[in-house]
């Protein structure tokens, strides 16, 4: 019998010993019962780790003899994902030296392997491009990754090749440029035009109560509340003076929370065009638009968000490095269409 919900990421199996099991070593009997999914060496490790119990007590001796009628429980950890391998995925490299690489990540590319995306990620592309030179601090599935962008957000990213560079960049990103030289600027197409053409959204973020994969503005006193500050400036306004439909906004981060720009802009009433998570309530606005813009907006496959600028002090040379990624074609076409309103 198995219970996949016994613990998060665990599976609990119950195995009853019959007469044929009498006198056999516990590790031998369990390995035969669980073959071919788990090796005998793995079974021995689980026994020694206390993952096998008999009548509620851990059995930690692999050589223990089994008796008929005994009921054993074994907790099986979730299978570990394989280490990522290099894949020949095209990369747009903005800069590269022996200690770091800067790329323009396209929309649709996941940064690192994870559930549902064990291959085809930026990490797989970097391993192919850089070989074994990536920093190992991030772990085998996140080598060199100092920061990340959402899957459907495009733009500039820096990746570390050495542990020293990784540590220095990680400190800069953790500080968010308050005392250093880190600078990050995004452009976003949003619904409507903020009344104030520049401003700051200072609103803590935590997990959404309707979906734990999403974020929401939460009260400061909540246990998961995290400081989140976004500075925005309206760059372009689209529509007629008395009927402005959308705007191009630059957002600069003072903190770097998950989905921060998307949540903050929705919080002030101007969600990103195409945002499937935080802009659903504004989908009907597309019906007010002329063709072919209406169809283009209704079928736009991602949030219209692009990491345009990244600047930082090079950990080795001390020079200020500044990189800009041009607005990608899909967002540029939307901007051109809105500009005709």
């Amino acid at each position: 019998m198995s219970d996949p919900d016994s613990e998060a990421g665990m599976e609990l199996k119950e195995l009853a010993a019959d007469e044929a099991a009498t006198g056999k070593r516990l590790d031998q009997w369990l390995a035969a019962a669980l073959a071919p999914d788990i090796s005998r060496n793995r079974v021995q490790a689980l026994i020694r780790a206390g993952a096998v119990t008999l009548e509620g007590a851990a059995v930690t001796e692999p050589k223990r003899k089994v008796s008929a009628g005994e009921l054993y429980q074994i907790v099986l950890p979730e299978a570990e994902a394989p280490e990522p391998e290099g894949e020949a995925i095209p990369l747009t490299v903005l800069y590269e030296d022996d200690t770091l690489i800067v790329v323009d990540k396209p929309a649709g590319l996941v940064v690192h392997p994870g559930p549902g995306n064990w291959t085809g990620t930026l990490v797989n592309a970097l391993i192919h491009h850089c070989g074994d030179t990536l920093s190992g601090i991030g772990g085998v599935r996140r080598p060199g990754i100092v920061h990340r962008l959402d899957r459907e957000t495009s733009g500039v990213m820096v990746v570390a090749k050495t542990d020293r560079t990784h540590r220095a960049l990680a400190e800069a990103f953790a500080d968010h440029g308050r005392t250093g030289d880190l600078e990050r600027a995004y452009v976003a197409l949003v619904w409507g035009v903020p009344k104030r053409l520049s401003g700051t959204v200072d609103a803590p973020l935590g997990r959404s109560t309707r979906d734990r994969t999403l974020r929401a503005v939460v009260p400061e006193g909540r246990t998961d509340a995290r400081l989140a500050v976004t500075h925005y400036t309206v760059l372009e306004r689209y529509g007629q003076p008395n009927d402005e439909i959308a705007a191009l906004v630059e957002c600069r981060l003072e903190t770097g929370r998950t989905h921060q720009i998307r949540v903050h802009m929705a919080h002030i009433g101007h969600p990103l065009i195409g945002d499937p998570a935080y802009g659903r309530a504004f989908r009907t606005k597309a019906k007010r638009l002329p063709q072919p813009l209406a169809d283009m907006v209704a079928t736009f496959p991602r949030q219209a968000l692009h990491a345009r600028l990244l600047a930082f002090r090079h950990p080795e040379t001390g020079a200020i490095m500044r990189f800009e990624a041009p607005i990608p074609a899909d967002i540029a076409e939307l901007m051109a269409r809105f500009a005709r309103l």
Side-chain angles (χ1 to χ4, degrees), residues 65-195:
K65 300 301 182 181
V66 176
S67 298
E70 291 178 331
L71 182 64
Y72 290 88
Q73 291 186 328
I74 179 169
V75 177
L76 301 175
E78 185 177 21
E80 294 184 5
E83 292 187 16
E85 297 182 354
E87 298 177 44
I89 299 169
L91 282 176
T92 299
V93 178
L94 303 179
Y95 174 81
E96 182 176 10
D97 60 27
D98 291 339
T99 63
L100 58 84
I101 180 172
V102 181
V103 300
D104 181 359
K105 186 190 86 69
L109 184 64
V110 176
V111 170
H112 55 73
N117 297 286
W118 294 117
T119 61
T121 71
L122 177 62
V123 163
N124 297 109
L126 288 166
I127 291 173
H128 180 270
H129 179 85
C130 301
D132 59 0
T133 62
L134 295 175
S135 165
I137 291 179
V140 294
R141 286 192 282 279
R142 301 188 185 189
I145 300 302
V146 178
H147 67 122
R148 69 181 187 88
L149 298 175
D150 293 339
R151 176 178 189 158
E152 299 300 344
T153 298
S154 54
V156 189
M157 284 188 64
V158 59
V159 177
K161 287 186 175 183
T162 68
D163 289 351
R164 175 173 170 173
T165 296
H166 197 137
R167 283 189 288 268
L169 290 174
E171 289 176 3
F173 276 88
D175 183 65
H176 303 295
R178 295 188 188 95
T179 59
D181 302 290
L182 184 72
E183 183 181 1
R184 288 181 290 172
Y186 295 69
V187 288
L189 270 172
V190 304
W191 287 112
V193 178
K195 291 181 179 179

Side-chain angles (χ1 to χ4, degrees), residues 26 47 50-60 64 71-73:
L26 178 61
I47 293 171
V52 178
T53 59
L54 174 63
E55 297 181 354
V59 180
T60 58
R64 185 187 192 279
L71 182 64
Y72 290 88
Q73 291 186 328

Side-chain angles (χ1 to χ4, degrees), residues 164-315:
R164 175 173 170 173
T165 296
H166 197 137
R167 283 189 288 268
L169 290 174
E171 289 176 3
F173 276 88
D175 183 65
H176 303 295
R178 295 188 188 95
T179 59
D181 302 290
L182 184 72
E183 183 181 1
R184 288 181 290 172
Y186 295 69
V187 288
L189 270 172
V190 304
W191 287 112
V193 178
K195 291 181 179 179
R196 295 180 58 191
L197 298 185
S198 64
T200 297
V201 184
D202 184 348
L205 299 184
R207 290 192 180 275
S208 169
T209 55
R210 64 183 177 89
D211 186 338
R212 289 184 61 80
T213 66
L214 302 179
R215 297 297 185 270
V217 170
V218 300
E220 287 187 11
R222 217 172 82 169
T223 55
D224 66 333
R226 298 293 182 269
L227 175 69
V229 181
T230 304
H231 305 283
Y232 73 85
T233 302
V234 175
L235 302 177
E236 301 282 349
R237 300 154 72 173
Y238 303 116
Q240 300 303 311
N242 59 346
D243 186 26
E244 293 180 316
I245 300 295
L248 180 69
V249 177
E250 180 185 82
C251 295
R252 290 181 176 256
L253 298 180
E254 189 173 314
T255 58
R257 307 302 178 194
T258 299
H259 299 176
Q260 178 174 316
I261 291 173
R262 298 164 64 187
V263 178
H264 272 176
M265 294 311 296
H267 179 64
I268 63 172
H270 302 284
L272 274 60
I273 290 172
D275 193 328
Y278 305 104
R280 291 178 181 176
F282 284 71
R283 285 179 178 175
T284 56
K285 280 186 171 288
K287 297 177 181 178
R288 298 174 51 196
L289 301 171
Q291 293 293 351
L293 179 57
D295 285 343
M296 186 181 299
V297 170
T299 59
F300 200 70
R302 68 176 180 113
Q303 64 267 7
L305 180 63
H306 176 65
R308 179 185 64 83
L309 169 69
L310 176 63
F312 57 89
R313 184 176 295 279
H314 195 293

